[in-house]
């Protein structure tokens, strides 16, 4: 069965990207076997675990941080991914620089949420008309839909609004800010994935 691969990317792979990976995995636990999730960092602290604050943030959002060790991002991971969720615009630029064709399926996680925020079930009628198996076909169509909205949706009020702030080696307030930016974006990714996978013709 073809699986849909989501890759989350930050700098060190000990804070933002593993939190996103872990919380999305928890929210979509029933989709194991359909969706694969992994994370990596551009300058990963290879082999390191998550700082306690990052692990606590993941847990508070429903993730399971146990056993995480940082991994260095590779070109092959980008090529293998179907959707890359970067934590900042800088990460997205670096990803596309490494693999230019990844521009079609790489967004920051907050940009994804902004582009999809006004979508509802009616916008997914073409996607849900596709066969439910393989689910990856519907999810590929979702990624294409999100990418197509870049020129249609109002840009962020400030470019930084598409970024998740880096809390590494910062205080609790910084981690709280990171969480307040990540949580709604994760929820939005989860929401539209569920819409894309809904039974044919279902309208909420």
């Amino acid at each position: 069965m073809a699986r849909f691969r989501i890759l989350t990317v930050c700098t060190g792979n000990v804070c933002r990207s593993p939190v996103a990976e872990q919380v999305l995995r928890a929210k979509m636990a029933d989709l194991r076997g359909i969706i694969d999730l992994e994370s990596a960092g551009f300058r990963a602290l290879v082999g390191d675990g998550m700082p306690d604050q990052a692990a606590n943030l993941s847990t508070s959002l429903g993730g399971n941080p146990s056993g995480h060790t940082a991994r260095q991002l590779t070109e092959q991971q980008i090529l293998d991914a179907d959707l890359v969720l970067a934590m900042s615009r800088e990460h997205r630029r670096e990803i596309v620089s490494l693999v230019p064709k990844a521009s079609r399926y790489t967004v920051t996680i907050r940009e994804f949420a902004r582009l999809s925020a006004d979508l509802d079930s009616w916008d997914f009628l073409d996607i849900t008309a596709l066969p439910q198996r393989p689910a990856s076909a519907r999810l590929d169509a979702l990624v294409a839909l999100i990418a197509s909205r870049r020129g249609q949706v109002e840009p962020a009020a400030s470019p930084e609004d598409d970024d998740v702030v880096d809390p590494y080696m910062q205080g609790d307030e910084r981690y709280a800010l990171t969480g307040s930016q990540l949580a709604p974006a994760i929820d939005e990714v989860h929401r539209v994935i569920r819409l894309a996978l809904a039974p044919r013709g279902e309208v909420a």
Side-chain angles (χ1 to χ4, degrees):
M1 178 187 297
R3 295 188 181 187
F4 185 82
R5 298 179 177 180
I6 300 176
L7 173 66
T8 62
V9 177
C10 68
T11 303
N13 192 220
V14 291
C15 296
R16 292 169 289 177
S17 61
V19 170
E21 172 198 5
Q22 292 155 14
V23 178
L24 283 169
R25 180 178 290 113
K27 288 180 176 295
M28 299 187 290
D30 60 312
L31 299 178
R32 198 171 301 161
I34 294 174
I35 295 176
D36 286 338
L37 282 144
E38 61 180 352
S39 64
F42 268 102
R43 291 175 288 282
L45 303 174
V46 176
D48 282 8
M50 298 170 72
D52 289 344
Q53 291 159 302
N56 291 339
L57 175 59
S58 179
T59 300
S60 73
L61 297 177
N64 179 3
S66 63
H68 175 79
T69 55
R71 297 195 306 164
Q72 179 65 34
L73 181 69
T74 66
E75 289 185 35
Q76 193 59 52
Q77 284 177 301
I78 300 169
L79 287 166
D80 289 343
D82 299 295
L83 171 63
V84 182
L85 295 172
M87 296 299 116
S88 74
R89 289 163 297 136
E90 177 186 359
H91 297 134
R92 184 183 186 276
R93 284 193 294 269
E94 293 191 44
I95 289 163
V96 173
S97 177
L98 278 174
V99 180
K101 75 173 187 177
S103 63
R104 300 195 299 267
Y105 55 87
T106 302
V107 289
T108 77
I109 192 168
R110 294 185 74 194
E111 179 189 13
F112 184 108
R114 177 172 58 80
L115 293 173
S116 67
D118 65 347
L119 294 175
D120 61 27
S121 297
W122 292 101
D123 298 297
F124 285 77
L125 292 179
D126 288 345
I127 293 177
T128 55
L130 297 170
Q132 285 189 285
R133 295 292 182 270
S136 57
R138 287 189 177 197
L139 296 174
D140 285 338
L142 167 62
V143 172
L145 173 62
I146 297 299
S148 74
R149 291 172 60 79
R150 281 194 176 119
Q152 303 173 18
V153 174
E154 193 75 19
S158 169
E160 290 79 13
D161 290 343
D162 280 341
D163 297 341
V164 177
V165 298
D166 186 358
Y168 183 62
M169 297 187 72
Q170 303 292 317
D172 291 343
E173 288 186 7
R174 183 75 163 189
Y175 274 90
L177 177 58
T178 299
S180 72
Q181 294 174 343
L182 262 182
I186 291 169
D187 286 345
E188 181 61 17
V189 172
H190 176 236
R191 181 184 77 88
V192 294
I193 284 176
R194 294 290 182 181
L195 284 175
L197 297 179
R200 182 173 183 172
E202 181 178 288
V203 177

